[in-house]
DNA sequence: TACTAAGCGAGACGGTACGTCGCGTCTTCTT
DNA sequence: AAGAAGACGCGACGTACCGTCTCGCTTAGTA
C-alpha cells in the first residue's frame, strides 16, 4: 500500500538489497493508519481531517507520515482500503443467495462507515487517474467475486444466456452504493434491501 | 436557494413584511453563481476554487457572498443546482422510451460536468442533513417524473402490477449516477448505455 | 523583545533546556523587523502598514510573524524600539552640557521619525500595561543616563542640593517629547531648542 | 465643530438662506457625540471604536454621521473637544497659584480620561495638518490663559523680565501632558504634582 | 568500538485560503 | 431633503492547513 520505500529491490539483480541506516518502524505505519481511521470516524469529512491531527494522534512526526505517503489523499486511500472488510463466504449453491450475500456485505454498519469515508475521497477519485487505479485495485476482488457468480448462473441456466455481465454488476452495485453513501432515495426501506434488490434484478419489471 | 435573508414574514399577520434598509442586489446573486460555475468549469476541483477568486470574478466583495451563503460548500451546492438542465420532454407513449429519455438526460456532456462537480460535494452531502434536504429538493422534480412514468406503466399493464416503484427508481438512477460520477465499472461501454440499462431492468436476469 | 518563545527553563534544575523541534530562524526575526521599519518609513501611519506587506517584503509567511508577535501592535513596538539610536557620548564635564547633549539626541531627524512612529503607538501604550513595561524598558537606559548626570550635578554643587531628581527628569524630557512628537507649541522655534530648554530649566523663572 | 452643512450662509449677500427639505435633527448631533464618548470610555482605543457601533448606540443611521463629519477621525476630534472641561477660575493674585490652578485643571480624573482619548488621536494628529489646526483651536483658549498669566508675572516682577513665554508654556504643559497620557515617569508621585512642578519651574535647578 | 546512514518526534518555515470586521458609500422606504 | 436600516466594494485581520525543512536524538549495519 504505502510505497516510497528506501532500499528495496535491486532492479538489475532482482535480489533484495538491505537498506542502510535505521529501518522504518512498522509500529508507525500502523499507528498512522489507525489514527486516520479514528479521526475519519470522529470528524466530518476528509477536508476537515488535518495531517497535523493525524500526526499528533498517532504520536508521530509529520515527516514520518510524508516519508510513507506522498500526500493526504494517498494516506486516506490506504486508510479506507484498510477499513474494507473481508469478502463474504459464498455458499455457492443458489446464484440468487450468493448475490444477496455480496450486496449484504456492503450493507453492514462497518460498510456504511466505509461508504461515508469513501464519499470523502470522491473529489480526488473523479479527477486523479492514479487514484482511480488504486481504487479499482481495492475493489477488484469484490467485482471479481460477483463476476464469477454471474457467469456461473449463466452457465448453469439460472440466468439468461445473453446476460450482459458487466452491466449487471453495475445494476447490482450501483443502487447499493448510492443508497449507502448518499441515502439516495429515502423512500426505500433499509430492512431487507439486499434481498429486494436482487430479486427485482432477477425478475425484471415486465409482467 | 440561498437563505440567510433579512426581513421575512410578520408572525402575527402572516403577511410578507418588507425588510427595512437597502435590499439585496439580485444582480450580485446571479454574478456570484455565474462566476462560481465558470471557475468550476475551468478549475480542477471544488477545493481549488477560492472564494476570493469567485468574488473577484463576480466583481463583488467577499462579504457580499458570505451575506448570502454561510460558507463555500453552501455556495457550491447552489451553483451545482443551477447547472442542472431542464427535464426532458417525455413522449408519453412507451414507458420504455420515457425511461430511456430520463436516463439519457443524465448522460449528456453537460450532465457529466454536473456529475463531476457533484462528486466534489458528496462529502458534504453525506454528513450534513441540511445539504441532503437541499439535494433532495433539487432532484425531486426528476424523481417525480420517473415515478409518474413507472406508475403509468403499472396502470396500463406495461409493467408488472406488484412492481416496487421506489426501489425501481433506485435501480434505474443508481447505476446511472455511479457510472456518470465515478466511472464505476470501466468495462461498461458508454455508447447506448441508457437503452441497455432500461432494457435490462425491464427484462430481468432470469431466462 | 519578541516573546512567545518555546522551550525555556527547566523549573526543577533552573538550567536552560533546549526546546525540541526546529529552532526559530533568527534571520526571520531580523528580516521582519527590517521590513517593518522600511515600510513605516515609506508609509503614512501605523494603520496603513499591513501584516501581509511586512510578510511579503520580509520574504516570510504571515504565520512566521504571528509565531513571534501576538499582533500588529506588538510588532510595531519592537520595530520602534529597534529604531532608537544609541545613547550619546557625554563629555562628563559640565552638567549643563551633558543635559543639552541628552535632549539634542532626541532632536535629530532620526529621533523625529522615531517620534512620529511612537505617536502611532501611543493608544496601545496608554492602555496596555504590558506595553507600558516594554516602553519603560526601552527608555530606561536613557532615563538612567539623565539621572546620573543630575545626581552628579547635585554632588558637585552645580545643582541645588534639594533638587527632585525624578521630577527634573520629567521637566526636561516632557517638553522635548511633546514638542518632538506633537509639535505641541508651534511658537517655540526648533533652532537651539535643547540649549534653550536646559538653560531655562537651570535658571528658573523667578527674577 | 461639525461642518459640511447644507444651506447656511450665502457668501455673497451674507444673509441666511433657508435650506430646502427636512432640516437636520439636532438631537442626532448630540446622540452621536454622546455615543462616541461613551464608547471611548468603555472601549480600548480609537481603532477599536467602530462607526457602526457609534451609529447603533446612538440609534442613528451611518449616513447621518457621515453627513456631519467627513470621517471617523473628525468625529473623534469633536468628541474629544466636547470632553474638555471649562477653564478653571483664576484667582488672579499670585502668578504661582494661577499656574498651579491651570496645571491642576489637567490633573482631574476627567482630564485624565480626556488624556487617554487624546492619545488615541495622536497618530492622526501627527500626520494630518488639518487635524493639527483643529486641535490647536481647541487648546488655544487654555494656552492663551497661561500666556496671559505668564505675561502678567513678567509685568509685575514676579517672573524674570527676559522669560521666554512660549518656551515656558511648553515647560509647564509638556511634563503635565506626558505624565497624564503616558504615565511617563512612574517615579514621580501624582500627589501634589501641580504644585511641585510649578515651584520647580519657578525656582530653577541652580543652587 | 567507532563511523555512517537513515529514521524518529518536534516543530518552524513559505504559502494559500479561510471567514470576519471595519470603512465610507449607496440604495431602499419613511418622515 | 433628512432619517433609519442595511447592502455594497474594498482591503486587512488573525487562523488553519499543506507539504517541506531543520533540529537533536536513536537505531541499525559496517569498519
Amino acid at each position: 500500500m504505502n510505497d516510497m520505500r528506501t532500499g528495496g529491490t535491486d532492479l538489475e539483480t532482482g535480489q533484495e538489497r538491505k537498506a542502510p541506516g535505521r529501518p522504518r518502524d512498522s509500529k508507525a505505519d500502523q499507528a498512522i493508519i489507525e489514527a486516520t481511521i479514528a479521526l475519519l470516524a470522529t470528524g466530518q469529512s476528509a477536508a476537515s481531517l488535518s495531517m497535523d491531527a493525524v500526526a499528533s494522534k498517532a504520536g508521530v512526526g509529520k515527516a514520518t507520515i510524508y516519508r510513507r505517503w506522498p500526500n493526504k489523499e494517498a494516506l486516506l486511500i490506504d486508510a479506507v482500503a484498510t477499513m474494507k472488510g473481508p469478502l463474504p463466504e459464498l455458499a455457492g449453491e443458489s446464484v440468487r443467495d450468493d448475490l444477496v450475500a455480496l450486496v449484504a456485505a456492503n450493507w453492514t454498519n462497518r460498510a456504511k462507515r466505509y461508504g461515508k469515508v469513501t464519499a470523502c475521497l470522491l473529489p480526488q477519485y473523479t479527477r486523479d487517474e492514479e487514484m482511480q487505479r488504486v481504487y479499482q485495485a481495492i475493489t477488484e476482488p469484490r467485482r471479481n467475486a460477483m463476476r464469477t457468480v454471474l457467469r456461473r448462473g449463466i452457465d448453469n441456466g439460472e440466468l439468461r444466456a445473453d446476460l450482459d455481465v458487466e452491466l449487471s454488476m453495475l445494476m447490482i452495485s450501483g443502487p447499493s452504493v448510492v443508497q449507502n453513501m448518499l441515502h439516495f432515495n429515502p423512500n426505500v426501506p433499509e430492512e431487507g434491501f439486499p434481498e429486494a434488490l436482487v430479486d427485482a434484478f432477477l425478475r425484471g419489471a415486465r409482467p
Side-chain angles (χ1 to χ4, degrees), chain A:
Chain A
M1 297 296 179
N2 62 67
D3 323 310
M4 307 177 68
R5 292 234 156 261
T6 331
T9 318
D10 185 327
L11 292 176
E12 296 199 7
T13 68
Q15 292 184 320
E16 285 291 329
R17 184 163 43 84
K18 180 64 183 174
R22 177 174 172 177
R24 295 258 175 93
D25 184 349
S26 65
K27 276 184 297 186
D29 297 58
Q30 203 181 325
I32 293 166
I33 289 284
E34 278 170 14
T36 306
I37 292 175
L39 289 170
L40 279 173
T42 309
Q44 319 295 356
S45 77
S48 81
L49 178 144
S50 79
M51 297 301 264
D52 292 74
V54 171
S56 166
K57 175 134 197 158
V60 141
K62 266 206 293 181
T64 301
I65 304 181
Y66 281 100
R67 208 172 285 120
R68 289 162 165 77
W69 292 274
N71 52 43
K72 183 173 161 178
E73 276 71 36
L75 168 61
L76 287 173
I77 294 266
D78 257 23
V80 164
T82 304
M83 287 175 70
K84 263 283 186 193
L87 277 170
E89 288 287 326
L90 298 182
E93 302 186 3
S94 146
V95 164
R96 184 263 185 193
D97 291 349
D98 284 358
L99 290 176
V100 168
L102 284 168
V103 172
N106 287 322
W107 212 243
T108 59
N109 281 332
R110 176 187 191 132
K112 288 191 179 160
R113 192 146 59 88
Y114 165 81
K116 281 216 168 189
V117 175
T118 305
C120 298
L121 300 173
L122 289 180
Q124 279 76 45
Y125 181 78
T126 56
R127 175 166 100 248
D128 186 347
E129 291 212 10
E130 162 68 13
M131 301 238 167
Q132 285 186 23
R133 281 192 294 106
V134 171
Y135 191 75
Q136 300 285 351
I138 294 172
T139 51
E140 187 54 35
R142 301 180 131 63
R143 284 210 305 279
N144 237 340
M146 188 177 288
R147 200 176 280 126
T148 305
V149 171
L150 290 171
R151 292 222 174 103
R152 199 184 75 219
I154 295 172
D155 289 347
N156 70 12
E158 273 190 83
L159 303 180
R160 36 190 330 145
D162 62 348
L163 191 75
D164 182 333
V165 174
E166 297 298 329
L167 179 60
S168 296
M169 287 163 59
L170 186 60
M171 289 175 69
I172 296 171
S173 302
S176 173
V177 165
V178 298
Q179 194 69 351
N180 192 356
M181 291 200 322
L182 310 182
H183 210 64
F184 191 77
N185 186 340
N187 301 321
V188 172
E190 299 218 359
E191 194 67 26
F193 176 78
E195 293 84 358
L197 174 65
V198 171
D199 289 337
F201 164 74
L202 294 173
R203 184 192 312 129
R206 294 243 191 260

